[in-house]
Amino acid sequence: LTLSGSSTLTRSDADLSFTESSSRDTLGYFLDAQDADGDGSPDLVIGAIDNSDVGTYAGKAYVVFDPDSLSSQSISTAASVTILANAAGDQMGLPIFFVNDLPDDGDGLPEIGVGAFLSNNAATDDGSFSIFYSSTTGATGSYTLSDADITLVGDSASAGFGVSGDVADVTGDGVDDILVGSYYDDSASFFDGSLLTVTGNASTTGF
């Protein structure tokens, strides 16, 4: 597909599409593209926040390596890696995206950040934000949130912790930090929301 001038496109114009066979999985609510295995080709992470493989509206995420080498097909066939929520109602995959390579990993490849803002951890619907390290070998298989390399959880009921997140050096010490939004946190006042930062340690290049 080549775009020129003013173009109006429909689904049928797409060069590549991935679909989900299950109803109301909400595939594609969040997605991102970066080179996660270091081969020079972009890879995809795609969330299906209402997928019910684990339980109703638990959520599921897919990692597709080198989609430019694939044809249109089911996302379940295209994905090399799947990540499942821990329980019904987690709505994992809101959000899901690539984040900067973390110092604990240090392989130069982006990591995968995934939120489950309605998961139950310390309290009901407190939420979580997890990070999976990428690999030059290109992982395969099925994982759950419990397999994450780093997991941060909310500390109050219905906080919505993990509804947003990022990795960046906000302290200016040369080590990236983890940022997580908690949009229903009411630690100061009712549903005022908050942003939490977990600071990287410059002396150990870790957390």
Side-chain angles (χ1 to χ4, degrees), residues 60-150:
K60 186 176 184 177
Y62 302 88
V63 182
V64 180
F65 293 114
D66 303 332
D68 56 337
S69 66
L70 302 176
S71 58
S72 296
Q73 58 191 280
S74 163
I75 186 63
S76 298
T77 302
S80 298
V81 174
T82 58
I83 303 172
L84 292 166
N86 285 334
D90 281 359
Q91 293 221 285
M92 189 205 76
L94 194 169
I96 184 166
F97 49 88
F98 291 108
V99 300
N100 292 347
D101 179 35
L102 288 175
D104 282 0
D105 189 26
D107 60 3
L109 300 175
E111 326 295 7
I112 298 172
V114 57
F117 79 111
L118 292 180
S119 61
N120 301 329
N121 304 280
T124 301
D125 292 347
D126 55 343
S128 67
F129 185 74
S130 301
I131 294 177
F132 292 80
Y133 292 162
S134 296
S135 169
T136 55
T137 59
T140 59
S142 183
Y143 301 85
T144 70
L145 280 181
S146 300
D147 296 312
D149 294 285
I150 297 176

Side-chain angles (χ1 to χ4, degrees), residues 183-194:
Y183 76 138
Y184 274 163
D185 176 63
D186 55 7
S187 55
S189 61
F190 184 68
F191 284 178
D192 57 331
S194 63

